[in-house]
Amino acid sequence: MNLELSEEQAAVRQLARDFVEREIAPHVVAWDRGEEVDRAIVKKLGEVGFLGLTVDEEYGGCGGDHLAYCLVTEELGRGDSSVRGIVSVSLGLVAKTIAAWGDEEHKRRWLPGLTSGEYVGCFGLTEPGTGSDAGNLTTRAVRDGAGGHVLNGTKMFITNGTWADVVLLFARSTDAPGHKGVSAFLVPTDTPGLTRRTIHGKLGLRGQATAELVLEDVRVPASAMLGEEGQGFSVAMSALAKGRMSVAAGCVGIAQAALDAAVGYVGEREQFGKPIARHQLVQELISDIAVDVDAARLLTWRVADLIDRGRPFAVQSSKAKLFASEAAVRAANNALQVFGGYGYIDEYPVGKLLRDARVMTLYEGTSQIQKLLIGRSLTGVSAF
Ligand code: FAD
């Protein structure tokens, strides 16, 4: 793997840095305190091309590679994980899955809007009773006799949920022959019978629109199905395999932001008559962060490289997500320690980094679930 960025990749990273500096950084604290990112950011992300990075140009995307996607995701994560998550879900989990599994009609219907930021997408897998054990989901899809389905059930913790125009929804079609009988549907959120409730009081990602979705007799036509009937679990797992790389890249961004903040602070703050940078135990804290940043970034870039070369990547993606998410929590926690009491108030950035990092070890498969996926690939034995 070539670890040098191409000119194009370096330019994309710079574009993302400038975007974060201009459009995100000035608002981060207000969005976090107000529990809402300004929705205008979606259009801006679309205009600069970040919502279509890896989607083909004929559907409004930029046709870029996955390393470029990681670079942008890292920079957005460095700026504000709430904004990063909008892209990771709308592009990473929804648009890319439509591009991979959709027919021509699906692609023409949804991709130009998702890549431009006219539409927001959300990914509806988790339910109140099924998180890690997603294959046991209970939302039901029953054939309506006219080729379509009637959907009933509840989805929980859905990122972008209240903002979304379309939900990539997973439901058990009882008469489907495929794996676990789960099918994937593209459901416009204005379909009668679909209601949404914002989930407030999150520890982190406070600016993000996380929601519960309730489906009561939601009717969708045959054309709403993504992939074949019964293929839905494979659709979900393939989306998450790539999605985990995106989460990992966001975590690299958090860890890098923690490092930047800590390095900046140790030169300014004096205790015992000298800058705290001159205390060896403080240097230990920042060097631990720096090693976590590098290791997490290299694992993440390796996934991007494998995807771009058409090689198997799912297990590497689990490794990158597992390591990077735990590293981001450690890095933000170490940075908070460097800031002492000032780290505990939100005038300084590290407390938010820690709160935002914490969920990364939970969603798109908890750390325990990543270990089971890695363990299964090594032993050939499923321990779920
Ligand atoms: P559980 O599955 O109940 O797990 C509880 C504990 O048990 C965990 O520690 C887990 O690791 C452990 N555990 C479970 N099974 C095993 C096992 N076999 N072996 C060992 N340990 C085990 N979901 C979506 O579909 N779309 C989204 O956009 C989305 N966004 C989210 C945003 C936020 C802010 C949050 C908090 C969650 C989001 N989720 C989303 C849901 C997320 O993916 C789930 O929370 C996650 O998969 C864990 O499921 P759970 O919360 O039900 O925990």
Side-chain angles (χ1 to χ4, degrees):
M1 177 184 178
N2 181 5
L3 294 175
E4 290 294 317
L5 297 184
S6 69
E7 259 182 45
E8 208 176 21
Q9 288 160 343
V12 169
R13 182 170 64 181
Q14 192 56 48
L15 186 70
R17 279 190 184 156
D18 294 344
F19 182 88
V20 169
E21 200 60 36
R22 196 177 62 245
E23 304 290 351
I24 298 177
H27 311 292
V28 169
V29 175
W31 289 346
D32 185 56
R33 287 181 182 168
E35 281 200 31
E36 190 166 29
V37 164
D38 181 357
R39 207 187 155 145
I41 198 74
V42 178
K43 271 272 179 204
K44 292 177 183 173
L45 288 163
E47 278 161 16
V48 76
F50 294 167
L51 287 167
L53 274 166
T54 56
V55 174
D56 285 349
E57 288 172 35
E58 66 171 306
Y59 301 112
C62 309
D65 58 33
H66 284 79
L67 185 51
Y69 175 53
C70 282
L71 294 169
V72 170
T73 308
E74 176 183 331
E75 294 304 323
L76 294 176
R78 194 173 172 184
D80 187 349
S81 292
S82 288
V83 177
R84 192 277 305 163
I86 296 169
V87 176
S88 288
V89 173
S90 203
L91 165 61
L93 292 181
V94 181
K96 284 168 71 165
T97 309
I98 294 172
W101 291 83
D103 58 26
E104 199 53 30
E105 193 187 328
H106 293 133
K107 292 181 193 175
R108 300 252 169 249
R109 168 76 180 89
W110 293 112
L111 291 181
L114 287 168
T115 55
S116 68
E118 185 192 342
Y119 297 152
V120 172
C122 70
F123 185 83
L125 180 64
T126 303
E127 299 180 350
T130 53
S132 302
D133 190 11
N136 265 329
L137 58 84
T138 60
T139 296
R140 277 165 51 88
V142 177
R143 288 185 189 175
D144 66 0
H149 285 84
V150 181
L151 308 171
N152 278 284
T154 303
K155 295 291 173 180
M156 191 64 183
F157 296 132
I158 306 305
T159 301
N160 294 345
T162 43
W163 284 12
D165 301 281
V166 59
V167 47
L168 172 51
L169 186 103
F170 299 91
R172 179 171 307 286
S173 38
T174 40
D175 32 15
H179 180 66
K180 295 191 177 177
V182 173
S183 297
F185 299 88
L186 290 166
V187 185
T189 51
D190 59 3
T191 310
L194 175 54
T195 51
R196 303 180 271 180
R197 176 184 71 86
T198 303
I199 298 169
H200 290 289
K202 297 197 298 287
L203 178 66
L205 299 185
R206 287 188 188 158
Q208 212 168 69
T210 311
E212 181 185 47
L213 312 184
V214 178
L215 297 101
E216 285 171 323
D217 292 332
V218 172
R219 290 182 175 275
V220 290
S223 59
M225 190 177 284
L226 190 69
E228 300 293 320
E229 187 154 25
Q231 272 188 334
F233 197 68
S234 302
V235 174
M237 291 305 110
S238 76
L240 290 174
K242 282 190 183 162
R244 286 171 186 142
M245 177 194 70
S246 181
V247 174
C251 290
V252 176
I254 292 176
Q256 181 68 56
L259 181 62
D260 296 342
V263 168
Y265 191 70
V266 295
E268 290 166 15
R269 178 73 174 170
E270 292 197 2
Q271 288 297 290
F272 296 94
K274 55 187 178 186
I276 59 171
R278 291 179 59 192
H279 298 299
Q280 291 180 348
L281 295 179
V282 173
Q283 290 215 0
E284 182 187 43
L285 288 169
I286 56 175
S287 61
D288 284 350
I289 302 173
V291 175
D292 269 336
V293 170
D294 273 4
R297 184 178 286 128
L298 290 170
L299 279 172
T300 306
W301 284 15
R302 183 165 66 154
V303 184
D305 181 62
L306 289 170
I307 297 177
D308 287 334
R309 286 190 293 118
R311 303 282 300 278
F313 63 90
V315 179
Q316 302 305 333
S317 198
S318 283
K319 287 184 192 169
K321 195 268 185 186
L322 170 64
F323 184 84
S325 60
E326 301 278 344
V329 174
R330 268 195 310 272
N333 199 35
N334 280 336
L336 199 151
Q337 198 67 19
V338 167
F339 274 74
Y342 295 95
Y344 205 66
I345 55 176
D346 72 0
E347 282 165 40
Y348 294 84
V350 288
K352 176 176 182 295
L353 292 174
L354 181 58
R355 289 188 283 106
D356 286 349
R358 194 60 189 79
V359 77
M360 309 296 170
T361 70
L362 302 175
Y363 65 18
E364 300 207 22
T366 63
S367 290
Q368 287 73 29
I369 294 303
Q370 305 310 325
K371 288 177 187 178
L372 294 180
L373 291 168
I374 297 163
R376 185 178 64 185
S377 79
L378 292 168
T379 62
V381 177
S382 171
F384 284 93

